[in-house]
């Protein structure tokens, strides 16, 4: 997480993809030691890799254009995908007598905001690896043109996460954004206009994590730390006692909910009809109050930026708020050579206030995937850990810390599963016929992709 912003910044320039084969080989060589030293991942298992090998062979033969649509529960997902493409796929191709013409790689789309918190060097590195940035909260014409060109003309397939952002849940998939499906249909259009014959496919890729040894003790210790932060009396339970640990987790969430309700009603003068100093009496009551709280937190920020409230889902509103904050902070209307000191000072105040308002959106962002039933329906160590870590994220933001310094609860393994490719070319006819037909075709393809991804990970409903 970047430091608090005190001054207006230059506009966010587009970072053009500049594929550097030498850099790709260097990062490939560093991948394994990086995974061992900088992540909790100790093994990455794969399934149905033969399907991916076959599709890459067709891609290299000029028969298809391929979009890799991968699940995005964690910041480690791109590393899992890199391991799959760089390490596993060449071995499987050799073992199965399905040689590839050259070592595989993939172009990819990434959020333009990543270099803001990860540093400018990350933007440079992504560019060197063939990545192209996209603004999530607006119609980014420059970013879309770049992604569209890479998809149709790039040296490698294009990878993207249709969820748009991580949700912290291995077994819940957030509603997919339609942009990936739209990009695929544009690809069909561009290929036909160019008089080419490649078929356009989307390949769903599931990614799911589990702890090699259930980290019950670490989860209990994490809950103890969160209880101290909130001011709740800690209750010691036997390690691995799911029922009592769940009641502790539920109680912790309830106290956090009450504190945040009081924060917005007292200091932002908001009305929360169901808010009370008492803890939620049921899971349904918890979710009703949580959703109302998230709505109010977003409205506080939307009101400042003059955005229409309640338009779209929580995710839609988060993306719009993020972009609105950037528009106030990264100013293309400020000319350093002509701006007066007073205008500079006012611009800095606007940027500082915008950064503070976006904080409310970040609080909501961590909780858009919370269902209330996730742990109860399957009280696994993984689900306990994921939910407790989301609470840790929120408390870290409230305390002014960084949610990117999450504690590690134990060694993890990942399972990367290749799904069945979805033909976009076969859906082209239904896309034609005007805006209504195109919108319906995009929605149907997005739903088909969502269903396939859910099947790949056995998603919770």
């Amino acid at each position: 997480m970047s430091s608090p912003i005190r001054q207006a910044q230059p506009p966010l320039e587009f970072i053009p993809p500049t594929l550097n084969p030498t850099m790709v080989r260097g990062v490939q060589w560093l991948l394994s030691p990086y995974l061992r030293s900088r992540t909790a991942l100790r093994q990455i298992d794969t399934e149905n890799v033969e399907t991916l090998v076959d599709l890459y062979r067709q891609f290299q033969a000029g028969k298809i254009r391929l979009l890799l649509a991968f699940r995005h529960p964690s910041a480690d997902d791109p590393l899992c995908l890199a391991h799959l493409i760089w390490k596993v796929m060449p071995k499987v191709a050799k073992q199965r007598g399905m040689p590839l013409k050259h070592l595989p790689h993939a172009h990819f789309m990434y959020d333009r905001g990543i270099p803001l918190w990860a540093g400018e060097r990350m933007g440079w590195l992504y560019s060197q690896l063939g990545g192209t940035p996209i603004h999530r909260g607006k119609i980014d014409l420059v970013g879309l043109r770049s992604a569209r060109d890479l998809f149709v003309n790039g040296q490698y397939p294009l990878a993207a996460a249709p969820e748009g952002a991580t949700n912290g849940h291995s077994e819940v998939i957030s509603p997919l954004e339609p942009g990936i499906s739209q990009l695929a249909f544009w690809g069909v259009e561009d290929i036909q206009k160019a008089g080419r014959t490649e078929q356009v496919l989307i390949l769903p890729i599931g990614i799911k994590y589990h702890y090699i040894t259930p980290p019950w003790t670490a989860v209990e210790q994490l809950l103890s730390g969160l209880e101290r932060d909130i001011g709740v009396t800690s209750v010691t339970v036997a390690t691995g006692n799911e029922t009592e640990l769940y009641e502790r987790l539920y109680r912790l969430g309830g106290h956090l909910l009450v504190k945040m309700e009081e924060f917005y009603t007292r200091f932002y003068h908001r009305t929360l009809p169901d808010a009370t100093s008492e803890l939620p009496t049921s899971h349904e009551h918890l979710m009703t109050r949580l959703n109302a709280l998230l709505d109010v937190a977003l409205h506080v920020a939307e009101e400042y930026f003059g955005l229409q409230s309640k338009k779209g889902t929580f995710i839609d509103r988060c993306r719009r708020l993020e972009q609105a904050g950037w528009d106030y902070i990264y100013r293309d209307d400020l000319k350093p050579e002509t701006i007066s000191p007073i205008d500079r000072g006012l611009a800095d105040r606007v940027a500082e206030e915008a950064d503070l308002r976006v904080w409310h959106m970040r609080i909501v962002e961590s909780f858009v995937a919370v269902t209330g039933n996730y742990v109860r329906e399957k009280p696994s160590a993984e689900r306990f850990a994921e939910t407790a870590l989301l609470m840790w994220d929120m408390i870290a933001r409230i305390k002014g810390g960084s949610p990117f310094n999450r504690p590690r609860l134990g060694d993890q393994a990942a399972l990367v599963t290749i799904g069945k490719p979805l033909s976009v070319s076969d859906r082209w006819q239904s896309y034609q016929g005007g805006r209504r037909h195109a919108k319906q075709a995009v929605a149907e393809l997005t739903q088909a992709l969502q269903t396939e991804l859910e099947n790949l990970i056995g998603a919770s409903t």
Side-chain angles (χ1 to χ4, degrees), residues 15-182:
I15 306 173
T18 310
L19 183 65
N20 183 337
T22 301
M23 182 61 66
V24 173
R25 287 192 293 270
V27 175
Q28 288 175 339
W29 183 80
L30 290 171
L31 178 62
S32 294
Y34 183 90
L35 284 168
R36 289 192 299 269
S37 62
R38 301 295 295 273
T39 77
L41 287 171
R42 294 297 172 263
Q43 67 185 63
I44 301 175
D45 301 314
T46 56
E47 291 183 352
N48 303 330
V49 181
E50 298 84 355
T51 297
L52 186 60
V53 172
D54 178 61
L55 291 172
Y56 260 76
R57 282 166 56 85
Q58 292 184 55
F59 182 93
Q60 292 178 354
K63 296 179 180 179
I64 65 170
R65 301 304 297 183
L66 182 61
L67 203 162
L68 308 175
F70 64 93
R71 194 55 263 273
H72 203 17
S74 165
D76 290 336
D77 304 333
L79 300 174
C80 292
L81 201 64
H83 177 83
L84 167 72
I85 294 172
W86 293 343
K87 304 293 184 180
V88 178
M89 193 161 60
K91 292 181 180 178
V92 172
K94 184 177 180 180
Q95 291 169 356
R96 299 302 174 93
M98 304 167 65
L100 299 168
K101 289 183 179 180
H102 47 75
L103 287 177
H105 183 53
H107 296 288
F108 56 93
M109 298 171 65
Y110 66 93
D111 173 23
R112 181 59 180 86
I114 291 177
L116 300 181
W117 57 262
E120 291 183 2
R121 291 182 179 178
M122 188 60 69
W124 174 84
L125 177 61
Y126 282 179
S127 172
Q128 296 283 296
L129 295 176
T132 189
I134 194 79
H135 287 255
R136 297 184 298 180
K138 70 174 185 178
I139 299 176
D140 181 3
L141 296 179
V142 175
L144 288 173
R145 279 196 296 268
S146 177
R148 188 168 175 171
D149 179 66
L150 277 181
F151 181 46
V152 174
N153 301 308
Q155 184 178 349
Y156 302 102
L158 179 65
E163 290 168 276
T166 60
N167 71 2
H169 287 62
S170 270
E171 297 178 290
V172 169
I173 297 181
S174 298
L176 303 189
E177 298 179 1
I180 298 301
S181 297
Q182 181 63 74

Side-chain angles (χ1 to χ4, degrees), residues 324-373:
W326 287 359
D327 290 343
Y328 278 37
I329 295 167
Y330 303 95
R331 301 275 294 276
D332 57 8
D333 60 331
L334 301 179
K335 308 300 180 185
E337 64 275 9
T338 60
I339 189 172
S340 68
I342 192 169
D343 286 338
R344 175 83 241 185
L346 291 173
D348 291 344
R349 299 292 79 74
V350 169
E352 185 176 18
E353 178 70 8
D355 187 49
L356 292 172
R357 294 290 175 164
V358 168
W359 176 88
H360 300 278
M361 181 276 289
R362 298 298 180 198
I363 292 293
V364 174
E365 195 174 38
S366 296
F367 281 81
V368 293
V370 172
T371 67
N373 293 320

Side-chain angles (χ1 to χ4, degrees), residues 282-357:
S282 67
H283 295 87
E284 292 72 20
H285 189 206
L286 171 67
M287 289 310 302
T288 297
R289 288 171 61 176
L290 176 61
N291 287 332
L293 175 66
L294 299 183
D295 178 67
V296 161
L298 289 176
H299 185 59
V300 166
E302 289 165 336
E303 188 175 70
Y304 172 76
F305 290 112
L307 298 177
Q308 183 177 349
S309 297
K310 301 182 185 302
K311 182 180 179 181
T313 65
F314 283 159
I315 295 174
D316 296 333
R317 293 166 69 183
C318 284
R319 296 289 71 78
R320 284 198 301 273
L321 279 167
E322 180 178 60
Q323 186 59 50
W326 287 359
D327 290 343
Y328 278 37
I329 295 167
Y330 303 95
R331 301 275 294 276
D332 57 8
D333 60 331
L334 301 179
K335 308 300 180 185
E337 64 275 9
T338 60
I339 189 172
S340 68
I342 192 169
D343 286 338
R344 175 83 241 185
L346 291 173
D348 291 344
R349 299 292 79 74
V350 169
E352 185 176 18
E353 178 70 8
D355 187 49
L356 292 172
R357 294 290 175 164

Side-chain angles (χ1 to χ4, degrees), residues 3-22:
S3 301
I5 292 174
R6 308 295 187 195
Q7 295 180 317
Q9 306 293 318
L12 290 175
E13 301 291 345
F14 177 71
I15 306 173
T18 310
L19 183 65
N20 183 337
T22 301

Side-chain angles (χ1 to χ4, degrees), residues 418-432:
I418 307 303
K420 298 177 182 178
L422 302 173
S423 174
V424 186
S425 297
D426 289 349
R427 298 169 180 263
W428 175 245
Q429 189 170 358
S430 65
Y431 179 83
Q432 297 176 297

